[in-house]
Amino acid sequence: MGLNLLLLVAMVATNILSLYHLSSTIQSAKSPVSQPVPDHLIRQLQTIRATINHLTRLHPTAAATASKTKHSIPSDLVLYSQFSPIASSCHSNPELLYRFMNYTPFSTCPSDSELAEALILRGCHPLPRRRCFAKTPQKPSSSLPQNPFDSSIPEANVIWGKYSCKGFGCLNRLNPNLGFDPSREITKFMTYKTELDLPIPQLLQIAKASNSVLRLGLDIGGGTASFGARMKLYNVTIVTTTMNLGAPYNEVAALRGLVPLHVPLQQRLPVFDGVMDLVRCGHAVNRWIPVKSMEFLLYDVDRVLRVGGYLWFDHFFSKGVDLDKVYSPLINKLGYRKVKWATADKTDSGGVKNREVYLTALLQKPVPT
């Protein structure tokens, strides 16, 4: 009803302006002096016409197709359009946006990367451009390690002011599993301890056995990019999506000679269609993601994977009942070939309390028939 009223008002306004324009043209034809149509009138007319064209394109005959539209447009697409990474989502967070844009032009940008991430995580991405210069470390080291597992990653190349810890030692004491201890990271992805593990040598052997070459990959939520670091030693290029939630994950990944992509899970993967040989979903991809957002993520992974490419769920966890009723059917919708599918109970305190399980799955995108 509201749409029909809007169309009616727009059509009436267009007719009135057109009538005015026509009468002005007739009068000017009788007069020896030609009177040009005012620019503002032309702009108003063009705006109204564009609005009508847009509305009629979305709803060709609103009254006739109202009942049909209700069934033809999936409600999920309308509901989750708010998760779009387009910058229009910034309008939903005016206070954060005002704080982010409150700076002195042509000077040094304020230290507000955590504010930028708050906007990114709310869908305000790509962020509005700013006319200020990014802060740099006071005395950065000019010598950077070639070995991605080098223990001498220079702390001076990180701006620590925004973090509670002011060095890698503090982060390692806080939680040694965060990924900032090279001596621990170098042992990852190489050994087989349980059925949930998929060592990199085994992964490469699986690909070789199926005549599939691994050259390019994407690690979603890969922290300090340890998986990319290990694959680099096998001449495989891995780019890592990561966020700086409480620690300098992006900076450290870059200092290790790897490529970090500062993007959240809800953003469209910033690579072209069908170019990746491997996509790994690590610890960040788990049951805390809304199911519909998870579905969109999986189909975007399918978009970037080439035919014959691999999707690897590495220790995905969820409640046991949800794995059977929600996530397994969601994954099976892709129609990928199951190379590996292993489950086991999650035995930490949270896992026992919530009756959670781990899933490690290696799936291959099939050749279309």
Side-chain angles (χ1 to χ4, degrees):
M1 184 65 184
L3 179 60
N4 293 336
L5 182 60
L6 178 60
L7 285 170
L8 179 60
V9 171
M11 291 176 65
V12 170
T14 304
N15 290 334
I16 293 175
L17 287 172
S18 299
L19 181 60
Y20 172 77
H21 173 53
L22 181 60
S23 62
S24 299
T25 304
I26 294 174
Q27 291 177 2
S28 62
K30 296 179 180 179
S31 173
V33 181
S34 176
Q35 297 294 330
V37 180
D39 291 340
H40 71 275
L41 179 60
I42 294 177
R43 288 195 297 269
Q44 291 174 359
L45 187 59
Q46 290 173 342
T47 300
I48 294 175
R49 286 175 175 169
T51 303
I52 292 176
N53 290 336
H54 178 68
L55 291 172
T56 53
R57 186 167 59 250
L58 293 178
H59 303 275
T61 52
T65 61
S67 59
K68 179 181 177 181
T69 302
K70 182 165 64 174
H71 300 289
S72 62
I73 298 180
S75 60
D76 296 339
L77 294 180
V78 177
L79 177 62
Y80 285 90
S81 63
Q82 61 182 307
F83 289 112
S84 169
I86 304 303
S88 59
S89 300
C90 298
H91 291 295
S92 302
N93 302 276
E95 182 179 349
L96 288 176
L97 184 60
Y98 173 77
R99 289 166 54 194
F100 182 73
M101 297 301 291
N102 187 19
Y103 66 97
T104 303
F106 313 116
S107 63
T108 303
C109 297
S111 299
D112 56 1
S113 59
E114 70 286 349
L115 182 57
E117 286 199 338
L119 284 167
I120 290 174
L121 291 170
R122 287 163 174 79
C124 183
H125 192 78
L127 291 172
R129 296 181 183 272
R130 298 196 295 184
R131 295 173 297 166
C132 60
F133 301 98
K135 280 191 174 182
T136 57
Q138 291 293 328
K139 297 180 179 179
S141 171
S142 59
S143 176
L144 300 177
Q146 293 290 335
N147 180 2
F149 293 100
D150 198 303
S151 59
S152 60
I153 297 177
E155 294 185 346
N157 288 55
V158 178
I159 300 176
W160 292 96
K162 54 196 172 185
Y163 304 115
S164 57
C165 279
K166 308 303 179 184
F168 297 135
C170 170
L171 289 170
N172 293 330
R173 289 191 297 271
L174 184 67
N175 186 346
N177 295 316
L178 290 178
F180 295 95
D181 184 356
S183 64
R184 292 177 64 93
E185 299 304 296
I186 198 171
T187 62
K188 291 183 177 180
F189 307 107
M190 295 302 294
T191 58
Y192 183 95
K193 297 179 180 179
T194 72
E195 186 65 19
L196 295 169
D197 295 321
L198 180 58
I200 288 177
Q202 183 183 4
L203 172 65
L204 297 175
Q205 184 60 38
I206 290 173
K208 182 179 179 181
S210 64
N211 296 319
S212 181
V213 179
L214 297 183
R215 310 149 303 144
L216 298 172
L218 182 65
D219 189 13
I220 300 177
T224 58
S226 290
F227 176 67
R230 176 54 68 179
M231 292 295 281
K232 181 180 181 180
L233 301 182
Y234 289 91
N235 294 321
V236 181
T237 300
I238 302 290
V239 293
T240 304
T241 73
T242 187
M243 299 290 287
N244 278 22
L245 300 177
Y249 292 99
N250 279 272
E251 294 97 315
V252 170
L255 288 172
R256 300 173 77 178
L258 305 160
V259 180
L261 299 178
H262 189 216
V263 296
L265 294 174
Q266 71 266 34
Q267 182 185 332
R268 183 180 187 270
L269 297 173
V271 293
F272 195 68
D273 302 358
V275 296
M276 289 292 164
D277 304 315
L278 171 70
V279 175
R280 173 182 173 268
C281 295
H283 185 68
V285 182
N286 278 298
R287 71 177 182 91
W288 51 60
I289 303 175
V291 175
K292 290 302 178 184
S293 296
M294 179 78 173
E295 184 176 28
F296 283 126
L297 173 62
L298 291 183
Y299 279 98
D300 204 35
V301 168
D302 176 78
R303 177 185 63 80
V304 304
L305 270 178
R306 66 169 177 82
V307 171
Y310 292 94
L311 169 58
W312 177 13
F313 289 95
D314 190 1
H315 286 72
F316 173 89
F317 71 82
S318 68
K319 294 182 178 180
V321 63
D322 290 338
L323 180 62
D324 295 332
K325 295 184 178 181
V326 178
Y327 296 108
S328 291
L330 191 63
I331 295 171
N332 290 334
K333 283 183 181 180
L334 296 175
Y336 285 14
R337 182 174 74 89
K338 292 182 180 179
V339 181
K340 179 184 178 72
W341 187 278
T343 61
D345 291 336
K346 190 169 181 285
T347 56
D348 60 4
S349 58
V352 173
K353 177 182 178 181
N354 297 307
R355 298 180 180 178
E356 293 173 334
V357 296
Y358 277 122
L359 165 68
T360 290
L362 183 66
L363 311 169
Q364 187 175 29
K365 185 173 181 177
V367 177
T369 56

